[in-house]
Amino acid sequence: MGTDETSPTAHRATAQGAAVRDALTAQEGFRSAQEVYASLRADGHKIGLSTVYRHLQALTETGAADVIHNPDGETTYRFCGDTTAGHHHHLVCRSCGRAEEVAGRAVERWADEIAEKYGYTEVDHTIEVFGICHDCATAR
Amino acid sequence: MGTDETSPTAHRATAQGAAVRDALTAQEGFRSAQEVYASLRADGHKIGLSTVYRHLQALTETGAADVIHNPDGETTYRFCGDTTAGHHHHLVCRSCGRAEEVAGRAVERWADEIAEKYGYTEVDHTIEVFGICHDCATAR
DNA sequence: GCCTAATCGGGAACGATTACCGATTAGGCT
DNA sequence: AGCCTAATCGGTAATCGTTCCCGATTAGGC
């Protein structure tokens, strides 16, 4: 029912739009717009940086991609197959960029509780967990 | 106990260093380097932008200031009187910038748990809660 | 095929932050 | 008190990521 309306992304189907989505799908972890752009060019795609940003934002808006700002303040994107997944957070590997989606009902509750305790409303939050995944750890 | 070693900040006591710290202390919420710079200039201080950044970073390194990246990716600083306070998070008002320090043992535990569950080590996390404080809410 | 509007993409513009480096200044020493 | 040296300052240029602009290109309905 009321999920899909006309076309996947938005209006016209373009090669560039597909390329950006593919580039994101092709890899596990979070990647910056610049990285996506670089890898597309490396693959021989004719695409502009502006276009990459444009599509990345579009994907974000439709919920097809997750965004996080890493500790350095860089904006990174990751494909999120399940548009209906709704709210969730990430456990991101600092070394390889790979990420696990984690639900964490407990944190949501905690956030709501302290917000209420201090009388804050319209609450929202940023929660990301960074670490070194098992593979990267053993690889040392 | 073994906290303070020689002098408060680092080396020489300078007027600019004090000015930056004062500017930060003077207000409750998180403020960007640019804002601190602007308010210092507005107060008639002769200080350079580079210097503001320098001191802000110094304060951060000594733990005298907390840093967070707001959802827009801006880096903001806040004076943290208690250097021994250790790890904590913030409940920040989106409207006035004011913030409450919250401990949240529960979240720490949650973060550690999921990290362990997925086999991640050297775990660290970013947790900030944003909302509208009571004052700002009623002011509408 | 043609036409029109949406999408591209290169480069300029932008805002935040860092780097550079000569000028200034704190403060130990005499 | 005055001097000397090294640390700090601060203006400007450089960097980096991201957005804006606008003429060129292209999808796709007719």
Side-chain angles (χ1 to χ4, degrees):
Chain A
M1 312 290 84
T3 326
D4 132 17
E5 311 200 345
T6 41
S7 51
T9 308
H11 269 186
R12 296 193 186 173
T14 68
Q16 291 87 344
V20 171
R21 182 152 62 237
D22 288 350
L24 223 51
T25 332
Q27 200 169 312
E28 269 292 290
F30 282 87
R31 306 208 288 157
S32 70
Q34 306 276 350
E35 286 172 333
V36 171
Y37 173 66
S39 76
L40 282 172
R41 295 299 284 226
D43 273 348
H45 282 88
K46 284 277 187 27
I47 194 171
L49 184 54
S50 325
T51 307
V52 173
Y53 273 103
R54 223 176 346 241
H55 282 285
L56 247 19
Q57 287 172 345
L59 290 172
T60 299
E61 274 159 29
T62 64
D66 291 332
V67 193
I68 67 176
H69 292 90
N70 65 25
D72 297 330
E74 271 194 321
T75 308
T76 56
Y77 307 80
R78 175 185 194 264
F79 187 74
C80 172
D82 192 351
T83 319
T84 65
H87 188 71
H88 61 263
H89 300 291
H90 299 97
L91 171 57
V92 188
C93 177
R94 254 194 302 271
S95 176
C96 67
R98 150 172 140 188
E100 327 288 337
E101 299 198 352
V102 294
R105 210 114 20 100
V107 220
E108 317 296 339
R109 213 173 319 129
W110 170 80
D112 289 347
E113 272 166 22
I114 66 159
E116 188 174 344
K117 173 175 166 191
Y118 287 98
Y120 279 56
T121 48
E122 295 178 44
V123 185
D124 194 4
H125 56 246
T126 301
I127 299 181
E128 305 300 346
V129 185
F130 297 93
I132 304 292
C133 73
H134 183 263
D135 290 356
C136 289
T138 45
R140 297 186 177 179
Chain B
M1 293 130 258
T3 328
D4 133 18
E5 311 198 346
T6 42
S7 52
T9 308
H11 270 187
R12 297 191 184 173
T14 68
Q16 290 87 345
V20 171
R21 183 151 61 237
D22 288 351
L24 223 50
T25 331
Q27 201 171 309
E28 270 292 289
F30 282 86
R31 305 208 285 158
S32 70
Q34 306 277 351
E35 286 172 332
V36 171
Y37 172 67
S39 76
L40 281 172
R41 296 299 285 227
D43 272 348
H45 284 88
K46 284 279 189 25
I47 194 171
L49 184 54
S50 325
T51 307
V52 173
Y53 273 103
R54 214 166 6 230
H55 282 285
L56 248 19
Q57 286 172 345
L59 290 172
T60 300
E61 273 158 29
T62 65
D66 291 333
V67 193
I68 66 177
H69 292 89
N70 65 25
D72 298 330
E74 270 194 321
T75 308
T76 56
Y77 306 81
R78 176 182 193 265
F79 187 73
C80 173
D82 192 353
T83 319
T84 66
H87 189 72
H88 60 262
H89 300 290
H90 299 98
L91 172 57
V92 188
C93 176
R94 253 193 302 271
S95 177
C96 66
R98 155 172 137 185
E100 326 288 338
E101 297 197 354
V102 295
R105 210 114 18 102
V107 222
E108 317 296 339
R109 210 173 322 131
W110 170 80
D112 289 346
E113 271 167 22
I114 66 158
E116 188 175 344
K117 174 176 167 190
Y118 287 98
Y120 279 55
T121 48
E122 296 178 43
V123 184
D124 193 5
H125 55 246
T126 300
I127 300 181
E128 306 298 346
V129 185
F130 298 92
I132 303 293
C133 73
H134 183 262
D135 290 357
C136 288
T138 43
R140 296 185 178 179

